[in-house]
Amino acid sequence: MTQTAIAGTIPESAGSDRPGRPDRPTRPTRPAAKPHGQWKVDGTEPLNANEVWKQEDGGLSCRTRIETVYAKQGFDSISSDDLHGRFRWWGLYTQRRQGIDGGKTATLEPRELEDRYFMLRVRIDGGALSTEQLRVIGGISTEFARGSADLTDRQNIQLHWIEIENMPEIWRRLESVGLSTTEACGDVPRVILGSPVAGIAKDEVIDPSELISELSARFIGDPDFANLPRKYKTAITGHPSQDVVHEINDFALVGVVHPELGPGYDLWVGGALSTYPRLAERLGAFVAAEIAADAWVGVTSIFRDYGYRRMRNKARLKFLLADWGTEKFRQILEDEYLGYKLPDGPAAPKPTTPGDHIGIHEQKDGNFFVGAAPTVGRLSGETLTALADTLEAHGSFRLRTTPHQKIVILDVPGDRVEFLVTELEKLGLSARPSLFRRSTIACTGIEFCKLAIVNTKDTAATAIAEMERRLADLTDSGELTQPIALHINGCPNSCARIQTADIGLKGMMLPTPDGDPTPGFQVHLGGGLAAVDRAEAGLGRTIRGLKVTVAQLPDYVERVVRAYVAGRSGDESFAQWALLADESVLQ
């Protein structure tokens, strides 16, 4: 048998010259796989419109134009690439035009949804603020933002109703006290999440304060990292409560004690939620404090050089990690970027204290820190200013924002704690909140966000008030003692982390009997991150057909919480129960 016959092909001499036998059709050649746009693999030629303008003129460049042209000539003078692209590198997004209902979010063009006003995100790395800085933000809110001020679940403060004409003065005031909006948005390293109790907690494993400050000072605004494939999120904690939601960040360090090398960090990469949720993974590597900045540079550089740039919806680090796996990722990090091997390291043990830091806690210096909850992060400029005055009157000059839309006040003398708690309550900040106020977070929602479909802040506030009233019998009797996390998101993008909540709500329009759609939610149940009652993070379950309207939400939450209390086994958490419960019980 000839090789040709073995291969199953026709000899070159065969063909149409053989009577009665036409040429066999040849199998079409498969097209080569499209390039992902990885700089180190495919070269740097832009493969989509965003990559074109980023290379032509980077996002950081538009600050000068804002100050010298747009602030003087007004909104109509702003170029489209700047308005819908580069402005994000300076923390600016156009906000949603008022009066457009959620049913039109998916049918109108973004430019039809936007207003002539901006959301401005003030970057607060590690959540660290002085009362002087807080007072400046409060003043800007009152004077330029119609009093708006929202704490985000990434430790920032967002202002609304900002006009481009006022940006030079706003930047002048922020920068005079060491604050900025640099790379608060965009395809850049976003705000660095840090433990709200860094440097003060009695049980801290390692203090990441210097590391966070170093990363912020050295690399935020650095052109080498100002054009990443998409946004890049960092979280660093040295506290055993694992209080920075590290499992949903691109790069994360969690404090651990190595049996031979002492305190350091466990390295995680590739977490993110949105419409394709993926939890971060441990690389199994121990990172000593002295090389932690190098590790950040290495992972960030991998994302810059190997991240997927062709399709925006596949441009997060999680997609690269999914294709590579942790072993290859670690090898590339060590061989190509660090130049040395990282030692293997242990995982952090399960948290033994809550990571929201609500309540009154003694610091290692004998003073106290006080964690207080507003209602789903909603504050005002007047409140921020009054809070700064209140803290100083009680001997505190430092505070921290948290990844749970809360505030932690530091350095409170013991004899001033209860006086401060009383004054905080007057400002709408509770150090002893109800279980429902403590555990509910909400994104910006349709009030200001162009992507949103439903109102979130008001819906959440109503739900909290209703749960406090309707479920008082369970909390008063002690049958319900642990918070049940209710996360309300205005669209599918999960800014409020719906897949990692006990009850996560994804905004959508729902049909009604009369044919007119109404705002509502798809329900996710049983998700969560590492916590006191959970050793490992996990995504919630969705049940076909389990959707509730905004009006039905309080009824649904009451019903499912009562079903949990009645049906749980022993000390089973809500998430444990919800993941295993029969679907009929969860309806």
Side-chain angles (χ1 to χ4, degrees), residues 518-537:
T518 188
F521 303 97
Q522 182 183 53
V523 181
H524 298 249
L525 294 166
L529 304 176
V532 174
D533 58 359
R534 189 173 193 136
E536 295 182 354

Side-chain angles (χ1 to χ4, degrees), residues 39-51:
W39 280 0
K40 270 205 170 186
V41 177
D42 306 310
T44 59
E45 180 182 354
L47 298 181
N48 63 51
N50 287 78
E51 292 297 313

Side-chain angles (χ1 to χ4, degrees), residues 423-468:
E423 293 303 310
L424 291 175
E425 197 71 48
K426 296 176 183 177
L427 295 175
L429 293 159
S430 178
R432 299 182 178 103
S434 70
L435 297 181
F436 311 105
R437 179 167 169 179
R438 176 172 182 169
S439 58
T440 301
I441 67 173
C443 71
T444 299
I446 199 172
E447 184 179 8
F448 297 116
C449 179
K450 299 191 295 290
L451 301 177
I453 299 167
V454 303
N455 183 305
T456 55
K457 296 290 188 181
D458 293 337
T459 299
T462 298
I464 291 169
E466 284 294 302
M467 292 309 100
E468 288 173 342

Side-chain angles (χ1 to χ4, degrees), residues 201-435:
K202 296 170 71 174
D203 54 348
E204 187 173 50
V205 174
I206 187 170
D207 181 1
S209 301
E210 289 187 11
L211 172 60
I212 293 171
S213 296
E214 178 186 1
L215 294 177
S216 179
R218 287 178 58 189
F219 303 115
I220 303 310
D222 180 351
D224 283 346
F225 297 110
N227 180 1
L228 302 177
R230 282 287 299 275
K231 57 189 173 184
Y232 180 75
K233 297 182 177 182
T234 299
I236 305 174
T237 183
H239 195 262
S241 66
Q242 302 178 29
D243 50 6
V244 292
V245 297
H246 64 279
E247 304 99 327
I248 55 172
N249 282 263
D250 297 281
F251 174 96
L253 295 174
V254 179
V256 294
V257 178
H258 192 283
E260 298 171 357
L261 302 174
Y265 298 100
D266 186 30
L267 174 57
W268 294 64
V269 298
L273 294 178
S274 192
T275 52
Y276 299 97
R278 193 177 197 280
L279 296 173
E281 295 187 60
R282 296 181 61 237
L283 293 191
F286 177 79
V287 177
E290 57 268 22
I291 65 163
D294 294 339
W296 184 90
V297 170
V299 174
T300 310
S301 299
I302 287 175
F303 183 45
R304 178 194 62 203
D305 299 341
Y306 286 104
Y308 302 153
R309 292 175 181 263
R310 181 172 66 88
M311 297 174 61
R312 293 284 291 175
N313 63 353
K314 292 293 180 70
R316 292 295 300 276
L317 184 63
K318 62 185 175 182
F319 295 103
L320 180 66
L321 179 68
D323 288 344
W324 277 10
T326 55
E327 184 177 346
K328 179 177 178 178
F329 196 102
R330 179 173 173 179
Q331 180 185 350
I332 297 292
L333 172 64
E334 293 172 338
D335 294 351
E336 294 189 24
Y337 292 90
L338 293 178
Y340 52 83
K341 298 294 183 182
L342 294 168
D344 293 339
K350 188 179 98 168
T352 57
T353 57
D356 62 3
H357 303 298
I358 289 295
I360 300 163
H361 310 269
E362 188 174 6
Q363 298 177 182
K364 60 186 179 183
D365 64 0
N367 287 318
F368 290 81
F369 66 88
V370 178
T375 300
V376 292
R378 177 53 54 89
L379 295 166
S380 69
E382 182 180 342
T383 299
L384 296 181
T385 302
L387 178 61
D389 294 341
T390 300
L391 266 56
E392 291 176 357
H394 292 82
S396 171
F397 295 84
R398 293 193 297 161
L399 68 152
R400 304 263 171 83
T401 56
T402 85
H404 303 281
Q405 297 182 333
K406 309 296 187 289
I407 286 177
V408 177
I409 295 104
L410 312 186
D411 310 324
V412 183
D415 61 353
R416 303 302 303 169
V417 168
E418 286 301 328
F419 294 102
L420 175 63
V421 168
T422 299
E423 293 303 310
L424 291 175
E425 197 71 48
K426 296 176 183 177
L427 295 175
L429 293 159
S430 178
R432 299 182 178 103
S434 70
L435 297 181

Side-chain angles (χ1 to χ4, degrees), residues 96-104 108 112-113 115 161 446-448:
R96 187 187 189 94
R97 185 156 50 87
Q98 302 297 290
I100 301 177
D101 66 56
K104 295 180 180 177
L108 296 179
E112 297 177 280
L113 290 166
D115 210 336
W161 300 107
I446 199 172
E447 184 179 8
F448 297 116

